[in-house]
Amino acid sequence: MKKILSLILVIVMMCSLLVGCGEQSASEETTEKTNQTEKAENKSNNETKTEPTKLVVWGGVPAESGPQDLVDAWNNENPDIQVEYVRFVNDDTGNTKLDTAILSGEQIDLFFTYTVDLLKKRVDSGMVESLEDAKYQDFIKENIAGEGEGMVLIDDQLYSIPTVREPFGIMLNKNMLDEKGITIPDGWTVDDYADVAKQLTGEKDGHTVYGANIIQGGGYPLDIPVTINGGDSYYNEAGNASNFDTPEFDASASLKVLMDEGYAMPYEEIFSRKLQVYAHPAFLSEEVAMTSFSAWMLRYVKDLENYPHDFVTTFAPYPTTENGVENNYQASLNNYICMNSNSDEKDAAWEFMKYWLTDGSKYMYKAGKISVWKEADPEEATKVILGDNAEELFDVEAYKAVIFNPDLEYIVDTITAGYPQLKEIYKEESEMYFLGETTKEEYLKNSKERSDKAIQAEIK
């Protein structure tokens, strides 16, 4: 009987062990299934999770002067669209670098263009997306001052939106003016300008002070013609020939006598020191007493760390040719933001363009950029542009008189036939003239003949 009971007990124990093994196997199987499910779910989640859209924007303003603040503010508010800002130097070398990068297929979704000739060249090369669609036009009418008036069209189409209003004029060393008892007359002429340059020329701390710098924006003479004639100043009224035989271009060319007689900084020095685009170093080191300016240059006047100086900067409009000749065209819409026609992220790029043009525009005040947004506050812009110690550095009232002159009119170019070639010809001929290789008569004659041919070649 004991043997039978023992046998039953062994059988029960074996069954228990078998049941336990079965439960363990089932449990392991369940755990494995759970793990596989979790892995599948994680994989599915990872596959459905989208990475932020990346945009790359190239501009000519140093990142620390406003663009990076603008981009940071956007990135914080828009985690799904992250923007990288890349600065290029807005000179010939920098613009060539930008063009090369675009044409090579590098990701550049938005970029800035600062002259009409470059804009046309980029449009002709297929780099720029057309903005003729209704969504762009509606936005402009609703948000941009002028509602589209004054915007540059290339072949009757809109390809870019200006982001800033840029009045321009002459900035002068007020301390030097005061020391010599000079007052800039209202409605001053190029003859008055020359007289002031002569009076301001002298020496300071052992170095020469030139009364003026008569070169501006890339190596051209002071643009007297555009202030009188406005847009299309390079063309005759019919748009089929150039205007280099007019009195306005003669007046600009005549100022070279200031260089020849030692009252204006020589072209060789301007060229060798690359002052033809960024002339502020010579002004802020008191090597020249007056030079052309636009509001963006004032960020350097405020930069006492890199450009230490202790004089006040004052302002005047451009001189005109003769008494009574109005020259109110001393402002332009500029800093054209363009969309790369090959961008894969055009919708996101448009969202960021709208931000730059509206809420984000305030971050560009410290770069001296006055927004075109209808809701932008000019007084707020002025406070930021001139800085906290405005009265110590600037003649604030003179600044407002030039920048907010109620008679100012905007320059609007409507003719672009042969425009890039014409600008290049004018630059080449200007270099030869200011280096003394041609006479004034040859300079203007060559500029006209070559430009006329370039215009005719395009309109045929």
Side-chain angles (χ1 to χ4, degrees), residues 250-276:
D250 187 278
S252 283
S254 296
L255 288 173
K256 179 175 176 288
V257 70
L258 294 174
M259 278 186 181
D260 297 339
E261 297 178 355
Y263 301 118
M265 179 171 275
Y267 192 82
E268 292 89 337
E269 185 169 354
I270 292 170
F271 189 80
S272 64
R273 294 173 57 186
K274 299 182 179 179
L275 298 173
Q276 66 269 39

Side-chain angles (χ1 to χ4, degrees), residues 22 63 75-76 126 159 162 173 203 313 333 340 403 412 416 422 426 432:
N75 286 342
N76 287 335
Y159 285 91
N173 185 316
E203 287 191 1
T313 297
L333 300 176
N340 186 346
I403 298 297
V412 183
T416 56
L422 189 152
Y426 189 34
M432 288 195 287

Side-chain angles (χ1 to χ4, degrees), residues 3 67 134 137 234 247 325 421 456:
K3 288 182 178 179
Q137 302 292 332
Y234 292 134
V325 176
Q421 296 91 330
Q456 288 296 320

Side-chain angles (χ1 to χ4, degrees), residues 130-143 158 161 350 354:
S130 171
L131 303 181
E132 284 294 309
D133 188 272
K135 69 178 179 182
Y136 305 120
Q137 302 292 332
D138 291 345
F139 171 82
I140 289 169
K141 288 177 182 174
E142 185 176 343
N143 291 279
L158 183 70
I161 301 176
W350 172 234
K354 290 190 290 185

Side-chain angles (χ1 to χ4, degrees), residues 166-179:
E166 283 202 327
F168 58 87
I170 304 294
M171 63 180 180
L172 306 96
N173 185 316
K174 187 174 185 300
N175 294 38
M176 291 184 180
L177 289 173
D178 292 345
E179 287 169 7

Side-chain angles (χ1 to χ4, degrees), residues 92-153:
D92 290 346
T93 303
N95 278 292
T96 299
K97 182 179 179 183
L98 170 60
D99 292 344
T100 303
I102 293 173
L103 292 173
S104 69
E106 183 175 333
Q107 184 185 355
I108 299 175
D109 302 286
L110 297 167
F111 57 90
F112 281 83
T113 300
Y114 299 91
T115 61
V116 175
D117 57 314
L118 273 176
L119 179 61
K120 177 169 171 53
K121 191 182 295 184
R122 287 168 180 160
V123 169
D124 289 347
S125 299
M127 300 180 190
V128 192
E129 180 76 3
S130 171
L131 303 181
E132 284 294 309
D133 188 272
K135 69 178 179 182
Y136 305 120
Q137 302 292 332
D138 291 345
F139 171 82
I140 289 169
K141 288 177 182 174
E142 185 176 343
N143 291 279
I144 305 302
E147 301 181 358
E149 289 293 323
M151 292 192 184
V152 174
L153 304 180

